[in-house]
Amino acid sequence: MLPPVTTETAPRSITVVERPNSVQTNIAIGRLGIDRRDPDYLKLAVTNGILGVGAAGRLFMRLREEKSYTYGAYNTLDASECRGVIAGSSEIRTAVTEGALDESFTNSLV
């Protein structure tokens, strides 16, 4: 028997790990997602494909091609039998961390 679908999520939080001499920032953003029983599953799967799957994704194009912040940026949607996660990730130049975070929240599902 599958667990019931809930809409509860935790408030947004940010964890920063200081690495003073690093030339890159690793951004990993995530949140609790949906399962395949959700009526919005197909809409989110299509949206995820547009925003973040591969080199043609909006997140990749914005952070790499337009802004030159990174070599790649990706978004994933894990919506299987049980509730999964929605996550985005990228490794970017430290000097542009703030701009990359802004773009990541604007151009991904998280």
Side-chain angles (χ1 to χ4, degrees):
M1 186 164 146
L2 295 173
V5 176
T6 64
T7 57
E8 296 176 24
T9 59
R12 181 181 285 176
S13 68
I14 297 174
T15 301
V16 177
V17 177
E18 293 284 339
R19 291 183 42 144
N21 297 318
S22 289
V23 296
Q24 283 189 323
T25 299
N26 185 352
I27 296 176
I29 304 170
R31 66 177 297 170
L32 195 55
I34 61 170
D35 66 32
R36 290 200 188 197
R37 297 173 287 173
D38 191 296
D40 289 331
Y41 168 72
L42 288 177
K43 292 177 194 173
L44 283 173
V46 170
T47 302
N48 183 62
I50 293 167
L51 294 177
V53 178
R58 185 178 298 165
L59 184 61
F60 186 100
M61 294 298 287
R62 186 84 171 141
L63 291 180
R64 178 183 168 146
E65 301 299 324
E66 293 178 30
K67 299 288 187 172
S68 299
Y69 287 169
T70 183
Y71 285 114
Y74 306 94
N75 200 77
T76 60
L77 170 65
D78 175 19
S80 56
E81 200 171 347
C82 293
R83 195 167 180 189
V85 297
I86 298 170
S89 65
S90 185
E91 291 76 32
I92 53 151
R93 292 181 288 116
T94 300
V96 294
T97 299
E98 184 177 356
L101 280 170
D102 288 342
E103 293 293 337
S104 295
F105 284 119
T106 302
N107 294 295
S108 73
L109 290 175
V110 288

